[in-house]
């Protein structure tokens, strides 16, 4: 038997409410995968993600799906919650792979960029030694210097600015995969 404390505050939950006349509206219709592994429809995923982005990060998410009474009794309805969780878990894994690929590309770009930057510094230094002082040698030296810094632009962009967005998206998908999915039956005239 469970006892409840009278003064216990209710835990705050971020709710995302979806009203459907048919449970299949939630899923991509051309996906041949079994029901639990189906992809959500693009519009459904976008709606859920947009709503989740507006919720505080510390609040657990609850996805409330209002289904027509006729559809809520079908055999598919009990599989909705695991299917939604599986979809967002797959999306979180996709983001993790995307992050790994970005860092791999960033490491390669960094190696190439550092080699080019070092070569440009050496070429500028050599141009200064060979050509001496004057406006032309200064232009050549500065041109090599600019070329070298442009070569490390891409790895700088990746390691400074490219990855935080992907990590944030992955965390959101992980939160959504752990979200409680609540199904409610609504009389068809109230849909």
């Amino acid at each position: 038997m469970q006892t409840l404390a009278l003064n216990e505050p209710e835990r705050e939950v971020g709710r995302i409410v979806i009203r459907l006349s048919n449970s299949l509206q939630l899923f991509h219709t051309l996906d041949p995968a079994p029901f639990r592994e189906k992809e959500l429809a693009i519009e459904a995923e976008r709606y859920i993600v947009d709503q989740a982005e507006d919720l505080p990060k510390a609040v657990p998410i609850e996805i409330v799906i209002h289904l027509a009474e006729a559809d809520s009794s079908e055999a598919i309805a009990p599989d909705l919650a695991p299917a939604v969780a599986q979809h967002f878990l797959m999306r979180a894994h996709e983001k993790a792979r995307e992050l790994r690929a970005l860092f791999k590309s960033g490491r390669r770009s960094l190696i190439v960029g550092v080699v080019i930057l070092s070569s440009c510094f050496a070429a500028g230094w050599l141009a200064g030694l060979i050509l001496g002082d004057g406006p032309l040698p200064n232009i050549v030296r500065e041109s090599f210097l600019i070329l070298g810094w442009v070569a490390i632009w891409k790895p700088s962009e990746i390691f400074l600015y490219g990855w935080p967005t992907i990590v944030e998206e992955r965390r959101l998908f992980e939160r959504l995969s752990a979200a409680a999915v609540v199904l409610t039956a609504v009389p068809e005239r109230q849909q």
Side-chain angles (χ1 to χ4, degrees), residues 11-101:
R11 201 171 94 184
E12 187 180 347
V13 174
R15 282 190 182 80
I16 300 171
V17 179
I18 303 171
R19 288 174 176 39
L20 302 172
S21 57
N22 182 332
S23 59
L24 295 176
Q25 286 178 292
L26 198 57
F27 297 96
H28 184 356
T29 55
L30 298 177
D31 186 358
F35 187 77
R36 283 185 183 224
E37 296 163 13
K38 275 189 174 299
E39 287 185 20
L40 291 183
I42 294 169
E43 300 81 17
E45 179 184 315
R46 189 176 306 131
Y47 174 78
I48 293 169
V49 168
D50 286 348
Q51 295 296 310
E53 286 174 338
D54 294 338
L55 298 173
K57 289 181 178 19
V59 172
I61 298 173
E62 180 179 79
I63 301 171
V64 179
I65 301 173
H66 295 295
L67 287 174
E69 272 182 330
D71 193 51
S72 65
S73 62
E74 289 181 16
I76 289 176
D79 289 335
L80 274 177
V84 170
Q86 180 64 27
H87 173 81
F88 285 113
L89 189 60
M90 286 183 345
R91 294 288 285 132
H93 289 309
E94 287 172 11
K95 288 297 173 181
R97 280 193 306 274
E98 185 179 333
L99 186 63
R100 284 191 302 272

Side-chain angles (χ1 to χ4, degrees), residues 132-143:
D133 269 345
L136 182 62
N138 286 342
I139 291 172
V140 170
R141 267 195 312 271
E142 291 300 317
S143 297

